[in-house]
Amino acid sequence: MPGNMTFDALKEATERGEIDTVLVACVDMQGRLMGKRFHAQHFIDSAHHETHCCDYLLAIDMEMTTVPGYKSSGWEKGYGDYVMKPDMGNLRVLPWQVGTALVLCDLLDHHHQEVPQSPRAILKRQVARAEAMGFKVMMATELEFFLFETSFNQVRDSMQASGQIRDLKPISAYNEDYHIFQTTKEEAVMRSLRNGLYGAGIPVECSKGEAEAGQEEINVKYSDALDTADNHAITKMAVKDIAHAAGKSVTFMAKYDHRRAGSSSHIHQSLWTLDGEPAFFDADEPNGMSEVMKQFLAGQLAHAQEITAFLAPYINSYKRFCIGMFAPTKAVWSRDNRTAGFRVCGEGTKSVRVECRIGGADLNPYLACAGLLAAGLDGIEKKMDLEAEMRGDIYSTAGIREIPKTLREAAELLKGSAMLREAMGDEVVEHYHHAAEWEISEQDRVVTDFELARLFERA
């Protein structure tokens, strides 16, 4: 379900004084919403056609550093503009921001062509590829995060005073997985989140406590792939906005503390025919898995290591992959088995699907969904045979395909992927390989608290 407000409805709401601000946003490499706040009347009068942003938004890191070495943008090219073209079908009210509507944009170049490196464009290209093959792509993401009593302002002050984040206090004191009483204590934030997202046209299903102290999960109903990625990006913004307003903080780090469970973003996937029939279901096959579903999953398994950099984009991401904490370590498939990187779940015509469990909460949903889709479609095009199902405790099974253990390894696999180069283009693969290389070089350069504590006296 895309946006819930028409342009005419925006005009009427602005005239009544109910909306005075329109947030116009694109999605950056990290999956963040970046853009401008327009006075609603100016947006109505002209900015709904287009606005502009610096092209460095697709060539920066988390710190907004102007990273050297990108071919698409840099000082040698003068850091010009991209066109931000509002997708007016995405226009929606933001109930948690007073008098505010939001519209997501596509990024265009000076010729009004979509910028190939734009995350939204990358996913749209794979969706179009699926449609040309006769499929509609349906996906859903489960998004986990940690919620803290400590406010964002307190975290900032701690960092400025000591260079460290001190006294982080999770909002609950113990593992709250499915725990109704414990999550009752968090309803001031989570109820506002569910209702706010629903009011923004995002069909929330539920929230729940996750498998750690202060860990939450929010689930949004499955939809077409682009809508799912849009909903995911808006949901992350909403979580931060609403937590900040309540004097709390959150993190979507894949692993904020090595002693605690990590935060994932599992991605559920299925294909449907263009006339609405489930392409993944065959009642006569084991587990109801059609030949199309088997080929799709076979492609994802064959290319799992190559696409991992899109599912785990930071050095920290790989600290989540550890035994016994429900994060997978092996890129194999199994039926309803949470120790596998790919889980086949659901039963019957509408629900049988593939769940990829590799991705962390820090992923960019557009890149992650595009990578998974590219791999799955390659499996269908090449009619790949599905390998045998793995069963039991896959953590302890030796000699099977592993998830890359570091970003360095995943980045090299991304760079060398002929499949991704064919599906997405050399310029996209080179762009995101460069992003990974920058992350690695920055963390190779910085002295960490761990190094100081371990080596200061003892070395």
Side-chain angles (χ1 to χ4, degrees):
M1 185 169 77
N4 64 353
M5 174 176 264
T6 65
F7 192 39
D8 285 341
L10 174 64
K11 293 176 183 177
E12 293 168 3
T14 300
E15 188 174 341
R16 292 193 302 267
E18 296 170 1
I19 297 291
D20 55 54
T21 300
V22 179
L23 206 170
V24 179
C26 63
V27 179
D28 73 358
M29 295 168 64
Q30 291 76 26
R32 301 172 294 186
L33 299 190
M34 311 294 274
K36 310 174 182 179
R37 283 180 165 84
F38 281 91
H39 189 283
Q41 193 57 55
H42 181 75
F43 180 81
I44 290 166
D45 292 342
S46 64
H48 69 277
H49 291 297
E50 65 180 53
T51 186
H52 302 86
C53 66
C54 180
D55 66 12
Y56 89 153
L57 288 180
L58 293 183
I60 54 174
D61 66 4
M62 278 289 187
E63 299 286 350
M64 303 292 286
T65 303
T66 50
V67 176
Y70 283 108
K71 295 179 181 178
S72 63
S73 174
W75 293 116
E76 69 282 358
K77 292 190 173 184
Y79 281 119
D81 276 356
Y82 285 145
V83 173
M84 295 174 65
K85 181 69 174 177
D87 177 353
M88 295 301 286
N90 211 284
L91 184 65
R92 66 189 72 230
V93 179
L94 290 188
W96 63 90
Q97 293 195 21
V98 177
T100 300
L102 165 72
V103 64
L104 297 184
C105 298
D106 291 308
L107 288 177
L108 313 179
D109 61 21
H110 290 293
H111 304 288
H112 276 237
Q113 299 298 311
E114 285 199 284
V115 177
Q117 296 88 351
S118 164
R120 212 164 185 260
I122 291 169
L123 179 55
K124 287 170 71 175
R125 182 175 176 180
Q126 296 310 307
V127 169
R129 179 182 166 202
E131 289 179 351
M133 294 170 64
F135 299 115
K136 181 175 182 178
V137 186
M138 302 298 287
M139 291 183 165
T141 60
E142 303 175 43
L143 187 54
E144 297 175 358
F145 58 94
F146 279 86
L147 178 60
F148 301 99
E149 293 283 6
T150 320
S151 72
F152 278 123
N153 290 343
Q154 290 170 321
V155 170
R156 177 202 62 206
D157 292 345
S158 174
M159 283 291 293
Q160 290 177 344
S162 66
Q164 299 174 321
I165 298 177
R166 300 183 183 276
D167 303 321
L168 269 180
K169 182 181 180 183
I171 198 165
S172 61
Y174 50 82
N175 184 323
E176 56 183 286
D177 203 13
Y178 296 98
H179 204 295
I180 295 299
F181 172 61
Q182 190 66 6
T183 52
T184 297
K185 304 172 187 177
E186 302 153 10
E187 270 292 84
V189 173
M190 299 307 295
R191 180 173 180 267
S192 294
L193 177 61
R194 292 192 307 272
N195 290 336
L197 289 172
Y198 204 85
I202 296 177
V204 174
E205 291 186 342
C206 64
S207 63
K208 62 178 283 291
E210 254 300 323
E212 188 55 84
Q215 192 176 31
E216 317 290 341
E217 178 178 297
I218 187 80
N219 292 317
V220 174
K221 186 177 180 180
Y222 75 94
S223 186
D224 67 84
L226 184 62
D227 189 41
T228 288
D230 288 343
N231 287 343
H232 181 114
I234 296 168
T235 296
K236 285 188 76 170
M237 181 187 74
V239 171
K240 292 180 180 180
D241 283 352
I242 291 168
H244 175 64
K248 315 295 184 187
S249 64
V250 298
T251 186
F252 290 96
M253 287 180 67
K255 192 81 165 179
Y256 94 91
D257 188 322
H258 65 276
R259 299 164 296 183
R260 300 185 183 275
S263 289
S264 68
S265 179
H266 301 153
I267 300 177
H268 295 254
Q269 315 152 76
S270 63
L271 298 181
W272 295 66
T273 66
L274 298 182
D275 57 2
E277 294 300 316
F280 270 17
F281 180 69
D282 185 338
D284 295 327
E285 291 295 318
N287 299 318
M289 297 170 65
S290 71
E291 195 62 27
V292 167
M293 182 178 181
K294 293 174 187 176
Q295 293 169 353
F296 185 85
L297 179 53
Q300 294 194 337
L301 293 169
H303 301 299
Q305 295 171 322
E306 300 160 50
I307 66 173
T308 297
F310 287 149
L311 295 162
Y314 306 108
I315 285 178
N316 177 263
S317 308
Y318 295 80
K319 297 179 181 181
R320 175 177 152 262
F321 301 131
C322 55
I323 294 171
M325 286 192 173
F326 290 95
T329 59
K330 308 291 175 56
V332 297
W333 81 277
S334 189
R335 170 74 184 174
D336 198 19
N337 184 334
R338 285 182 168 86
T339 67
F342 292 83
R343 180 172 74 124
V344 170
C345 49
E347 296 179 358
T349 305
K350 294 184 177 181
S351 66
V352 65
R353 60 196 184 275
V354 175
E355 176 194 29
C356 176
R357 299 178 57 81
I358 297 171
D362 55 351
L363 59 72
N364 180 323
Y366 302 87
L367 302 178
C369 291
L372 286 166
L373 184 51
L377 294 179
D378 190 62
I380 294 173
E381 288 176 338
K382 294 178 178 174
K383 299 186 182 336
M384 293 184 183
D385 292 325
L386 181 61
E387 62 195 49
E389 175 189 5
M390 300 297 300
R391 296 179 180 173
D393 181 3
I394 294 169
Y395 286 132
S396 62
T397 304
I400 57 177
R401 184 189 306 105
E402 300 205 2
I403 295 167
K405 290 181 170 58
T406 65
L407 180 58
R408 199 180 305 273
E409 180 185 352
E412 286 307 302
L413 290 163
L414 168 67
K415 183 179 181 180
S417 174
M419 181 277 293
L420 286 175
R421 288 180 179 273
E422 182 179 356
M424 297 181 177
D426 289 337
E427 69 270 40
V428 170
V429 172
E430 295 293 337
H431 191 86
Y432 285 95
H433 174 257
H434 186 68
E437 286 288 293
W438 176 259
E439 287 293 320
I440 293 164
S441 67
E442 281 294 275
Q443 295 204 41
D444 283 348
R445 178 180 67 85
V446 173
V447 177
T448 67
D449 294 337
F450 174 77
E451 291 169 292
L452 281 170
R454 190 178 183 87
L455 302 174
F456 183 84
E457 179 179 338
R458 298 178 180 88

